[in-house]
Amino acid sequence: MSQSHRVYRWTLRRAEYPVPLRVRLMRRQWAANDARRDRAFPIPEGIERACGLSYGPNGAWNLLDVYRPRGAEGPLPTIVSVHGGGYFYGTKETYQFYCMDLARRGFAVVNYNYRLAPEYRFPAPLTDLNAVLRWVSERREEFGLDTDNLFLVGDSAGAQIASQYAAIWSSPAYAARFPFQIPEGIRIAAVGLNCGMYDLRRRAREGGQMIRDYLGPHPQVHGARLDVLSQIGPDYPPAYFLSAAGDFLAGECVPSARLFASRGVETAYRIYGTRGDPSAGHVFHVNPALALAKQANDDEIAFFRRFLR
């Protein structure tokens, strides 16, 4: 296990579409904000890290890290984290402290990069998540990953990606619409959907630059692949929804949880904090220094433990 702590550098290797200046500037600004947040965090002594492992053909886009509690033996229940960032931003480095904090709770955690918009478009992040799970299935013995107790977490755009992948995993008819095959031997025991939005078809109709960068200028070409919510059914894994009082997507949390529950999914949800609390904002839970984040992540992990085999 490596203790290296590297800075990720953007790569445009094999990019399919150009990157506008507005995207480059937003990436730079958001990265600076994340760097300020992370500056105070040391690498936890109780965590073993294997970093920079390749899971696909797309260079730095397809790298992952694995974190485990130091000294833990045998296969551990495994969390795969899908980072947020509006489909155009984010790396495993910006999520490493959050993911290592989850690992401290007794899990192996897979933290990975995926191809971003606008260089790559839908369904590239879903294809990459599928490749990560294939890697997990193939390397489970080497890294002590329990594929019978696998959990997805995602926030913001990552929550949408994770929720859609769980729909693909749980519905063979829906999976047939995508250009990849679900790996065998993977059981998604539950999902943690954090500060996200889940109605991709509605977002495509409403438009906006961010969603156009992800889906392209003519989202209708994706057809029924965008209709995620119609695929939610009793075979969908149990889902924990969380948000915060100051999250600009807080209004998505309760209606989405209730919709999933109405389709036979075992569901729990909670909105944390109070309005005006600076710690109760969008994706608050990824900051391990916040007491509110500790509470939210403890609650979500407690939900996951209910579904361990």
Side-chain angles (χ1 to χ4, degrees):
M1 289 286 189
S2 168
Q3 293 293 327
S4 62
H5 182 190
R6 297 189 299 274
V7 176
Y8 178 87
R9 298 189 183 281
W10 292 102
T11 174
L12 303 184
R13 181 183 178 186
R14 300 184 184 179
E16 296 175 351
Y17 301 98
V19 186
L21 177 61
R22 60 177 168 78
V23 172
R24 295 200 298 268
L25 292 175
M26 288 182 70
R27 284 175 175 172
R28 187 177 304 170
Q29 178 185 355
W30 289 19
N33 292 338
D34 284 341
R36 281 193 293 271
R37 177 198 65 202
D38 294 345
R39 196 173 295 140
F41 299 138
I43 302 298
E45 293 183 359
I47 297 297
E48 297 179 342
R49 295 153 44 99
C51 297
L53 306 171
S54 176
Y55 71 86
N58 295 292
W61 297 107
N62 288 163
L63 295 179
L64 61 78
D65 298 346
V66 179
Y67 313 134
R68 287 172 54 96
R70 186 176 300 281
E73 297 182 357
L76 294 178
T78 300
I79 296 171
V80 175
S81 171
V82 188
H83 71 71
Y87 304 109
F88 73 90
Y89 170 78
T91 70
K92 62 187 179 64
E93 277 70 28
T94 59
Y95 275 67
Q96 63 179 324
F97 296 105
Y98 162 66
C99 288
M100 286 187 285
D101 191 58
L102 294 182
R104 289 176 54 250
R105 292 167 166 84
F107 288 74
V109 179
V110 177
N111 174 28
Y112 73 101
N113 295 335
Y114 56 86
R115 287 172 293 168
L116 299 176
E119 292 97 317
Y120 298 90
R121 291 177 179 164
F122 175 89
L126 295 164
T127 301
D128 286 354
L129 176 51
N130 191 68
V132 168
L133 296 188
R134 177 170 290 107
W135 184 95
V136 167
S137 178
E138 293 172 351
R139 308 289 291 274
R140 59 192 173 203
E141 293 186 7
E142 181 180 355
F143 290 93
L145 308 174
D146 183 353
T147 55
D148 199 40
N149 287 301
L150 188 139
F151 303 85
L152 300 182
V153 297
D155 59 81
S156 197
Q160 191 282 311
I161 294 165
S163 71
Q164 186 168 20
Y165 188 86
I168 295 167
W169 175 83
S170 61
S171 170
Y174 191 43
R177 297 171 179 162
F178 290 86
F180 50 79
Q181 300 239 330
I182 302 296
E184 295 182 2
I186 291 286
R187 169 185 171 253
I188 301 179
V191 293
L193 304 178
N194 307 322
C195 299
M197 67 86 182
Y198 309 101
D199 190 343
L200 188 59
R201 171 173 271 184
R202 173 171 61 83
R203 290 284 171 157
R205 287 198 305 266
E206 292 172 352
Q209 189 61 59
M210 191 178 297
I211 204 71
R212 287 197 299 272
D213 283 347
Y214 179 47
L215 298 178
H218 306 291
Q220 65 272 16
V221 302
H222 301 299
R225 291 193 293 181
L226 301 186
D227 192 8
V228 183
L229 297 185
S230 70
Q231 304 301 318
I232 307 302
D235 293 330
Y236 194 92
Y240 189 87
F241 292 80
L242 70 80
S243 185
D247 176 15
F248 66 86
L249 290 176
E252 303 277 350
C253 180
V254 176
S256 299
R258 289 175 175 169
L259 172 65
F260 280 51
S262 75
R263 302 283 183 80
V265 179
E266 188 155 357
T267 304
Y269 63 86
R270 184 170 175 183
I271 297 179
Y272 291 82
T274 58
R275 289 190 178 275
D277 179 353
S279 69
H282 186 58
V283 300
F284 71 101
H285 65 291
V286 305
N287 185 347
L290 299 178
L292 201 62
K294 180 181 185 304
Q295 179 185 358
N297 293 325
D298 283 348
D299 291 345
E300 190 161 86
I301 292 297
F303 180 83
F304 287 175
R305 291 188 188 282
R306 290 171 48 195
F307 303 101
L308 288 172
R309 282 183 181 172

